[in-house]
Every structure is written in structure tokens, then in C-alpha cells.
Amino acid sequence: MAEHLFFLYFAVAALGCGAAMVTRSNLLHAALWMLAFFVHMAGIFLLLNAEFIAALQVMVYAGAILILYLFVIMLLDVRELAKVRQRHASATVASLIAGVMGAILVVTLARGTFAGTHGSATAALLASQGNVESVAGVLFTTYLLPFEVASLILLVAMVGAILLAKRRL
Amino acid sequence: MWMDLAIKAGLAVVMMLIVINIAGIHSWVERKQSAVIQDRWGANRAGFTLNSPLWRWLNPLLRPIIYLGLFQPIADLLKLVAKENWSPVGGMKWLHAVAPFLYLLFAFAGFAAIPFGDTLHVAGRDIALQVASLNVGFVFIFAMAGLGVYGIVLSGVSSNNNYAFLGAVRGVSQMISYEVTLGATVIGIVMVYGSLDMQEIVRGQGALLWGWLPKWGVFVQPLGCILFFTAALAETKRIPFDLPEGESEIIGYFTEYSGTKFGMFLLADFVETVMVAALTTTLFFGGWQFPYLQASGFVFPWGAEVAVGHYAVVAIQVVSFLVKVIAFCWLLMTIRWTLPRFRYDQLMDLGWKRMLPVSLANIALTGLVILLIEAL
């Protein structure tokens, strides 16, 4: 019961924060709503017994990625930007496409093969093994190749960023 | 269930009181210790005398307190609270008010995962002396420390002051740069003790190396300890790493703050200092461990055993933790009043070109040594 109430709160609040984020004209306010959104997402992960993912969600998304966004926003004149007309001529077409894509996503999630399926990680298993240990166990055995590929992609992105930013090395 | 909640709330209150008291007394220690280091007397005037004939006999008792300057923190607090609540013209009023609140909130939140004692058995209950027994404690603390950056960004941007803005830019880049090193040095500790849970890391430090040396983090990760302490010092943004603040000349992100809001930044700085002391204690100096103290009592390496009651053991552990934290607070204070400030390019060089490579090498070295020990 309490769990359902918590889920309801986190889900509604996350959606609300997301909606507030895309509608604010002041970019700083939008960034703060995004922070609230990330924290509520972390709350949903906590309800799913995924402590590790929740902590990483806050640390990586809220603590690192959003800070980088803020860093860029800081260097812009936020108030001048807020005066710029936000509605574009193609807004209707864009929102139509976005709506269709969203509908497809919802239908796929509801009807698709993975709807209602559960992974091998149950709450009891997580409690006995430990949260980090169970994530690490799967990550470094079954999904080792994707993990290494992802780290390689990140390395390439890092080298590329340095090359672009600093021509004379 | 309600009892569990009440116990957790009680633990949170205890932790909060520990932190806020150590942080609060810092304002007095800072005045007095800087005075000792600079060969001055320091605060020795704030106070009052009682003139009524009924209470006049108390005056000689008040005098040593006044000479020690112990009324000074109270005077400081009254001054900060009584000042006008002001926000800069042309600034963003709401964000300006929220920034110090966010900064202080996230400075406090990390303490939830710091254990200040082993399990206490009382009235048939096992109470872990830690506010939140998190399996991911270390990641949680770093997440909270990372969120503290928002306070700096918002205070700088919302102040409508270019100096405050530049201070915020310096602050954010400094904190992000040193967080990388900070995280990388703790990886070595996590590898040695095999857990991200702060309580498990402390328990792992209760073992003995070669039968006599406590297996504290500083003995198995000496390089990591020095790097961690330096990087953590940079995270507190105090001298020698105080470029974001630089109250006296280069001016930092909280220039446009006064009164209670400024007081919150000041308190958050001291809370961060306590956090660094608590983290260094927990990760590298055994946390609540006291050398040779087991759950049943003292077991010395030469075979002698002294039985100690359960409550006494827990009391020794909590006091041991507090003494270590206060000792590190003292060390941080001494460093702050001894060293000059870095130049900004030196700061970035130190963080990215020197400390980060060494801390990465430390991870590789730790892995190699662990493999070698397992192979032998």
C-alpha cells in the first residue's frame, strides 16, 4: 500500500517536473526542474530495489551531466534568451511527429515481448547478494562485451572532444 | 515498524547534533587557532558583566569564558541573524534565496551514510550506529557532494554580479576537477575491503596485518590516503584551494550574500570540513575502530586479553570516531592557516596532470598487489 502511494507520488511528480522543465522559458529554472526530475527518477529506482542505479542516477545525471549543461547555461544571457519567441513555425508538425512517436513507444512497451516479464534479479536475491555485487556480477560476465564497447565509445568521445577543443597539442 | 522509524529518526538527530556542534565550534576554533599561529590573542572581548547585586558573584566565573572568546560564536550568530535580509538589485530573487539552502542541505545529507559506531544491542534490538545502512554508501556520499555544486552555480548566476559569477565558474570547475581524483582514490579502498558499504569498510579495517598492525586504510593505501586528503581539501574550497571564495581580494560566488544566507554558506563550509574529516577517518583511519578492541574487549597481539562490557565497547568506539574526526578538523585548520594560496593554473595542473594520473596508477598498482597476494 505504502509502496503504491510512494510510486504514485514519484511518478506524478516526475512527470510534472518533466513538463515544467520543457515549458520554462528561463533556462536556469528549466535546469532546476530537470534536477528535480532526476531525483524523482532515482526515487522510482529505489522502489524497484535498485539502490545502486538510484545512487548512480543522482551522481552521474544530476551531479555531472546536468552540471555541464548548467555550465553552458551560465555563459548565456538567460534573460535575453527568455524573451526570444519560443514558438517555431513548424511547431505543429513537430508536436504531431513527437505525439506519434510517443504513442508507438507506449504501445510497444504495453504490447511488446518484454511487457510484464521479470528479470532474474528478485528482491530476495538482491538482499542476499548485495545490490552492487549483483549488478557487477551480470555486468562483468554476461554483458562484458557491451560494457567494454561502451567504455571504448566514451574514450573515443573524450579524445575527440580534446582534439576539437585544443587544436595545438 | 514505528519503533524502527523512531530509532532511525533518533540516530539522525544524534548525527545532526554531532555535525552541527563540531561545525559550529569551528568559528571559534578558527579565530583562536589563527591567533595562535599568527602570535595574537584572538577573540577575548565578546561577553557581558552582570551588574545586579544578586548575580554579581558570577562575574569572576564569566571572566575566563570571555578571555577564551567562547561568547564570540554567540555574538557572531546574533550578528548574522540580526542583519538585513537583502537580495541584489537586478538579481534573480528566488534562486538567490534557494542557493545557500541547497548548498547546506547537500552538505548535511552525506553524513547519513557515515557510521559512528558498530551495532548496539539494547533491549533485544540490534541498532546499527549509522543513519542509513546503505549498500552503496560511498556512491551516495559522492552523489550528495556532487549536488552541492548547484548551490555554487545558482549563487553565482543569480547575484547579478560579474565577480560572483566568475567565482562560481572557478568553484564549479575546481570541484568537478577534484571530484574525479577523489573518486579514483577511493576505488583503491573499495578494492582492498571489497565493499561500497561504509560500515563494511570500517569493519574490514578491524583486522590485523602481520598479527600486530591494524589494517587501516592508511597502511594499505598510503598513496591513496595522501591523494584523497589533498583532493578533499580542494573540495572544501578553503586555503590553499580557496580561489572560488577568496574573501579578502579576488572575491567569490557568495559576495552578494549577507545575514543568515551568508551564515548558511559559512556553516556549509565548516560542515564540509567536518565531512572531509569524517570521510578520511572512515576510509583511511579505521572509522570507529580502536586498535585491538574487538566486540568482546581488548585482544592484544602479545596474547593478553581484557574483557570489556558491551556498552563500554560501543562508547569507546563512538568516542574513538569523534576524537579522530576532531583531530582531522584540527589538521585541516592548521593547513588552512599555514599555506599560501595556489594560482589557478597551478591548481588545474595539480588536479589533472599530477594527481589524477597518480591516482589511476594507484588503482592499477592496488589491483596488481591484490592479484599477487591471492596468487601466493
Side-chain angles (χ1 to χ4, degrees), chain B residues 18-281:
Chain B
I18 292 176
V19 174
I20 219 162
N21 274 304
I22 299 181
I25 206 72
H26 261 72
S27 74
W28 175 76
V29 176
E30 181 133 72
R31 283 173 186 282
K32 274 305 198 191
Q33 196 166 343
S34 66
V36 170
I37 289 174
Q38 298 172 345
D39 201 13
R40 294 183 282 114
W41 279 107
N44 62 353
R45 297 296 163 88
F48 55 92
T49 49
L50 300 158
N51 286 326
S52 117
L54 195 61
W55 295 106
R56 198 170 285 162
W57 58 274
L58 272 173
N59 280 338
L61 293 176
L62 284 175
R63 211 162 292 141
I65 302 178
I66 293 172
Y67 283 155
L68 277 174
L70 279 170
F71 282 119
Q72 191 65 46
I74 302 173
D76 285 343
L77 182 74
L78 284 176
K79 186 193 82 177
L80 283 175
V81 172
K83 270 194 174 175
E84 186 190 352
N85 183 15
W86 185 80
S87 71
V89 179
M92 302 170 202
K93 207 169 176 194
W94 193 75
L95 290 181
H96 189 262
V98 161
F101 172 74
L102 278 182
Y103 192 43
L104 190 57
L105 173 76
F106 292 127
F108 271 124
F111 282 98
I114 301 260
F116 56 96
D118 205 352
T119 315
L120 175 69
H121 305 284
V122 63
R125 277 176 184 281
D126 293 346
I127 303 170
L129 292 182
Q130 185 186 21
V131 178
S133 310
L134 292 173
N135 182 255
V136 291
F138 146 67
V139 187
F140 171 78
I141 292 175
F142 275 73
M144 290 301 125
L147 290 184
V149 181
Y150 284 95
I152 300 174
V153 175
L154 293 180
S155 63
V157 174
S158 66
S159 290
N160 192 29
N161 179 331
N162 287 339
Y163 293 106
F165 173 76
L166 287 174
V169 172
R170 286 196 302 270
V172 175
S173 38
Q174 176 177 330
M175 283 191 78
I176 290 180
S177 307
Y178 279 84
E179 245 166 46
V180 181
T181 311
L182 207 62
T185 49
V186 182
I187 298 292
I189 282 288
V190 172
M191 284 163 86
V192 172
Y193 300 107
S195 179
L196 289 174
D197 186 345
M198 300 303 264
Q199 189 71 277
E200 287 304 315
I201 290 175
V202 176
R203 288 206 182 109
Q205 299 185 51
L208 296 176
L209 286 172
W210 308 297
W212 60 274
L213 187 68
K215 199 185 170 188
W216 286 4
V218 64
F219 298 124
V220 288
Q221 287 278 312
L223 191 61
C225 179
I226 296 167
L227 288 172
F228 176 86
F229 195 69
T230 315
L233 196 65
E235 290 285 303
T236 63
K237 300 180 291 304
R238 287 159 66 79
I239 291 174
F241 297 102
D242 76 326
L243 300 117
E245 297 178 359
E247 295 96 337
S248 49
E249 58 290 281
I250 52 175
I251 311 185
Y253 51 90
F254 54 59
T255 301
E256 295 288 350
Y257 281 87
S258 70
T260 315
K261 289 186 213 154
F262 174 75
M264 285 168 90
F265 273 112
L266 202 65
L267 180 64
D269 254 19
F270 290 141
V271 170
E272 276 186 345
T273 312
V274 181
M275 186 60 174
V276 169
L279 266 182
T280 315
T281 304

Side-chain angles (χ1 to χ4, degrees), chain A residues 26 28-29 32 35 39 51-52 55-56 58-59 61-63 66-68 70-71 74-75 78-79 130-133, chain B residues 90-92 94-95 134-136 139-140 142-144 146-147 149-150 153-154 157 165 168-169 172-173 176 194 196:
Chain A
N26 187 329
L28 268 178
H29 293 179
L32 278 189
L35 170 65
V39 173
E51 281 176 27
F52 184 55
L56 279 189
V58 175
M59 187 165 129
Y61 280 91
L66 191 54
I67 293 282
L68 282 182
L70 263 182
F71 219 93
M74 269 168 86
L75 301 173
V78 180
R79 283 187 213 169
N131 224 297
V132 189
E133 288 84 347
Chain B
M92 302 170 202
W94 193 75
L95 290 181
L134 292 173
N135 182 255
V136 291
V139 187
F140 171 78
F142 275 73
M144 290 301 125
L147 290 184
V149 181
Y150 284 95
V153 175
L154 293 180
V157 174
F165 173 76
V169 172
V172 175
S173 38
I176 290 180
L196 289 174

Side-chain angles (χ1 to χ4, degrees), chain A residues 3 35 62 69 73 96 142 161:
Chain A
E3 212 162 290
L35 170 65
Y69 287 0
I73 293 173
L96 208 73
T142 322

